[in-house]
Structure formats: C-alpha cells, structure tokens
Amino acid sequence: MTFPYLDIIIRSVAVYFFMTIALRVFGKKELSQLNTADIILILLISNSVQNAMVGPDTSLIGGLVAALVLFSINFAIKKLTKKFKTLSDLLLDKPEILIHDGILDFKTLSRLDVSHEELKEAAREHGLEHLTDIKLAMLEIDGTISIISKDQKQLKQTHYKRKHNRKNLQKN
C-alpha cells in the first residue's frame, strides 16, 4: 500500500527548491522593488506551480498537505541554515558593500544593478548631501540600502527601502 499523498509531498518539495533557486539566481534586489509586473508574475507563478504540486488532486486535503510540506520545508531550512554555515552561505544572500569611506564600488553597483540615482536618493533619505559623506553604504539582504555617515554627530540612522517602499527601521 502506498501513501496517497506521497506524490503531492514530492512535487511540493521539488517546487519549493526550484523557487528557492530561482529567487537566489534573480537576487534580493528583485524582491525589494515589486511593481505591478512583479506582482502579476508572482500571482502567475503561484498559479502555475499549484498544479505542479498537487497534480490532479484538487481536494482540500491535497491542498493542505502541499501547504504543510511547504511550511515544514521552510521551517527545516531556517533551522539548518542557522546550524550549518555552509548551507547558509549557499542559500542565503549576504549584505553587499556599495560605498566605503566615500568611495563607490562600481563593480558591485553594476553587478547588483544599483543606480547612481538610487544611491543619491538613499543618501538624501539619511540627510546626506553628497555620496562622499558616506562612511558605509550597504545593500542589505532584504533589499534596503543602509547608510552610516562619516559625520559622527549625525545620530539618526534609517534604512532606505528601494523603489517607493521606504521604512524607518531604527531611530536613535
């Protein structure tokens, strides 16, 4: 006798890992700047992979099994990436230095497709007029650009959320 939902479990695991790899390849910047086309893409992807996960089983139980598998994998991956650095390095992005001591890292900016205008906007968000006033600018793993000023008197530290999704995460 075979487990009736084994097919859904295997399909859900395959789709989860495919989506994880796809998001890793396309990068954190894409997640931080969702526009209308990105939202449509997400909706269409979710609709297209639904059948890949549950196959012909459109029952409530089949959908719940697929959802349970996705939640379980996500929980397990989070635990494993905390425990094993190698797995964490493979699956999770790292913050990237964009500016160090007022010097722009053009190679990183180009690779991450961060424009000069985005950097200037992030600097203005932090109350800085010139990019040379920046001690450190980082593209964080959530897609925000965080900035530390060279001016130690400037106590306010904020995070610039790329593409119209700004949010102050910390105020001193």
Side-chain angles (χ1 to χ4, degrees):
M1 184 175 138
T2 62
F3 182 63
Y5 296 106
L6 183 61
D7 186 48
I8 292 174
I9 292 169
I10 292 169
R11 289 166 170 262
S12 297
V13 168
V15 168
Y16 181 90
F17 284 107
F18 169 80
M19 294 302 297
T20 300
I21 292 167
L23 288 173
R24 179 80 166 125
V25 168
F26 289 105
K28 61 188 158 213
K29 182 183 173 200
E30 300 305 319
L31 295 177
S32 70
Q33 51 184 349
L34 296 178
N35 58 34
T36 304
D38 296 326
I39 293 170
I40 291 169
L41 176 66
I42 289 171
L43 292 173
L44 292 175
I45 287 172
S46 66
N47 191 44
S48 68
V49 299
Q50 175 192 0
N51 291 338
M53 287 190 300
V54 295
D57 187 340
T58 58
S59 69
L60 174 63
I61 299 294
L64 293 176
V65 167
L68 178 63
V69 168
L70 295 175
F71 278 114
S72 299
I73 292 172
N74 194 54
F75 178 80
I77 292 292
K78 284 183 178 185
K79 292 291 186 185
L80 290 171
T81 55
K82 285 182 181 179
K83 188 172 183 176
F84 300 104
K85 184 180 178 347
T86 306
L87 184 63
S88 175
D89 291 344
L90 179 67
L91 294 178
L92 304 177
D93 280 331
K94 298 285 184 237
E96 302 268 0
I97 296 174
L98 305 176
I99 300 175
H100 186 266
D101 288 330
I103 300 170
L104 283 71
D105 184 338
F106 292 105
K107 186 176 180 181
T108 301
L109 290 167
S110 176
R111 180 173 49 84
L112 297 173
D113 196 26
V114 176
S115 72
H116 192 258
E117 288 304 314
E118 286 178 296
L119 283 177
K120 289 189 334 188
E121 186 176 349
R124 288 190 301 273
E125 181 77 18
H126 290 79
L128 301 173
E129 188 175 353
H130 304 286
L131 296 180
T132 54
D133 297 332
I134 296 173
K135 180 179 181 177
L136 186 67
M138 303 282 294
L139 180 62
E140 303 293 350
I141 59 174
D142 64 354
T144 59
I145 297 175
S146 61
I147 292 180
I148 298 172
S149 168
K150 284 184 178 180
D151 182 7
Q152 296 301 319
K153 296 176 186 173
Q154 185 169 346
L155 297 175
K156 180 181 173 190
Q157 294 294 319
T158 60
H159 283 273
Y160 164 79
K161 187 70 173 178
R162 300 180 75 207
K163 296 295 182 189
H164 311 296
N165 216 357
R166 296 186 192 120
K167 182 179 180 181
N168 287 344
L169 297 178
Q170 179 182 8
K171 289 184 180 178
N172 290 340

